[in-house]
Amino acid sequence: MELIKVTEQREPGVALIELNRPKELNALNHQLMTELLGALQQLDKNDLVKAIVLTGNEKAFAAGADIKEMADKTAIEMHLMDRFTTWDQIRKTKKPIIAAVSGFALGGGCELTMMCDMIIASETAKFGQPEIKLGTIPGAGGTQRLTKAVGKAKAMELILTGRFLSAEEAHFYGLVNKVVPVEMYLHEALQLGKEIAQMSTIAVQLAKEAINRSFETQLDEGLAFERKNFYLSFASEDQKEGMKAFIEKRKPEYKGK
């Protein structure tokens, strides 16, 4: 892979994916997104990996989509390129993904962070959907996910003006989990992944699936889906081990079965 770097065991059970187009501030072109999808699919199949951290560098997580790839395209050409199929496939990753964000996370970069399950931000992080300044709108979920994260009024303001959110503002509005000093953002994300990696892989994936379903359904349907996954967890050896360990007052030893 040319445009990303993958370290499968950065912490026990935690894989690290680094976007690697520093000269372009990690602009998300088709090749990078294809490589990212391939890496996530491989890690999803790797039993040693329990959680995934996705990051860029201190200057930029990703400053947006690669505008040069699309500036001269027609509507029909954009439709036939179907560039968002890759994004839809990334969304199907079963294992939890933590975005470690420093510097710019704009446009497609902001949309990519919102596709992750949690976000740890450095104090220098800036989030935004500035597509309006290019005469267009977000196309990889920005209008939908940002609205769900920060509410209609703030999403309208950000998307219709192209303004950026600082890390502290993003935390205030619930877009990110935590803000830490620049030198700590990747470490903090890896430690969060390490903590999750100690849990039952099956339970983690069932919980992630149920939480994501809450954004796609009404409450009754969401509750029914949660209940189904709750019952399903009782088919796992991990559930038996977890409850037995609780009763015996010891640390459980999960095997992902």
Side-chain angles (χ1 to χ4, degrees):
M1 294 182 181
E2 298 179 11
L3 303 183
I4 65 171
K5 297 178 181 178
V6 181
T7 308
E8 290 190 3
Q9 291 291 318
R10 180 58 187 265
E11 290 286 346
V14 184
L16 175 65
I17 301 177
E18 299 171 88
L19 307 181
N20 189 35
R21 294 187 76 200
K23 291 181 180 179
E24 297 81 11
L25 298 179
N26 292 329
L28 305 174
N29 65 4
H30 179 69
Q31 180 183 346
L32 186 151
M33 295 304 296
T34 300
E35 290 184 14
L36 176 58
L37 172 60
L40 288 169
Q41 289 176 333
Q42 290 273 345
L43 295 173
D44 233 7
K45 298 174 184 176
N46 187 336
D47 291 340
L48 296 177
V49 173
K50 316 295 184 183
I52 302 165
V53 172
L54 175 61
T55 194
N57 54 52
E58 286 189 8
K59 190 172 183 180
F61 176 83
D66 193 328
I67 304 302
K68 294 178 181 178
E69 276 193 338
M70 64 181 94
D72 297 326
K73 296 289 189 294
T74 66
I76 297 302
E77 287 172 334
M78 288 296 289
H79 175 71
L80 293 175
M81 282 173 62
D82 197 18
R83 61 184 293 121
F84 297 124
T85 296
T86 304
W87 293 69
D88 292 338
Q89 292 298 315
I90 288 173
R91 186 167 60 90
K92 296 177 182 178
T93 305
K94 294 180 179 179
K95 293 175 181 176
I97 306 174
I98 302 162
V101 180
S102 187
F104 298 113
L106 307 176
C110 186
E111 289 169 314
L112 184 56
T113 67
M114 292 190 292
M115 287 176 63
C116 297
D117 302 301
M118 289 155 279
I119 303 174
I120 301 296
S122 85
E123 294 171 333
T124 67
K126 294 186 182 299
F127 299 85
Q129 301 288 164
E131 290 88 347
I132 200 79
K133 294 183 177 180
L134 303 177
T136 186
I137 70 169
T143 63
Q144 304 304 300
R145 292 190 178 94
L146 189 61
T147 303
K148 287 179 169 61
V150 305
K152 176 186 173 182
K154 197 64 182 178
M156 282 284 190
E157 175 193 336
L158 295 170
I159 293 172
L160 272 56
T161 66
R163 292 176 183 170
F164 299 165
L165 277 180
S166 69
E168 291 296 341
E169 288 173 318
H171 184 254
F172 174 80
Y173 285 103
L175 182 63
V176 308
N177 294 74
K178 192 173 186 179
V179 179
V180 297
V182 176
E183 60 271 19
M184 291 295 294
Y185 79 100
L186 182 56
H187 173 78
E188 193 74 27
L190 289 166
Q191 291 306 301
L192 177 57
K194 183 179 177 181
E195 185 177 352
I196 294 169
Q198 295 173 18
M199 307 302 169
S200 162
T201 306
I202 295 171
V204 166
Q205 292 182 21
L206 289 173
K208 170 177 171 171
E209 186 182 34
I211 292 167
N212 283 335
R213 184 59 65 98
S214 73
F215 291 99
E216 303 165 359
T217 62
Q218 298 297 320
L219 180 60
D220 284 349
E221 185 179 345
L223 288 171
F225 189 86
E226 175 192 80
R227 205 154 297 155
K228 176 185 73 69
N229 277 12
F230 170 70
Y231 294 147
L232 185 58
S233 72
F234 280 71
S236 72
E237 294 178 18
D238 281 354
Q239 175 271 326
K240 299 295 183 290
E241 166 63 11
M243 292 192 176
K244 184 178 180 182
F246 176 82
I247 293 169
E248 296 175 355
K249 295 181 172 56
R250 61 175 174 81
K251 186 177 180 179
E253 296 181 11
Y254 295 123
K255 298 179 179 177
K257 298 182 180 179

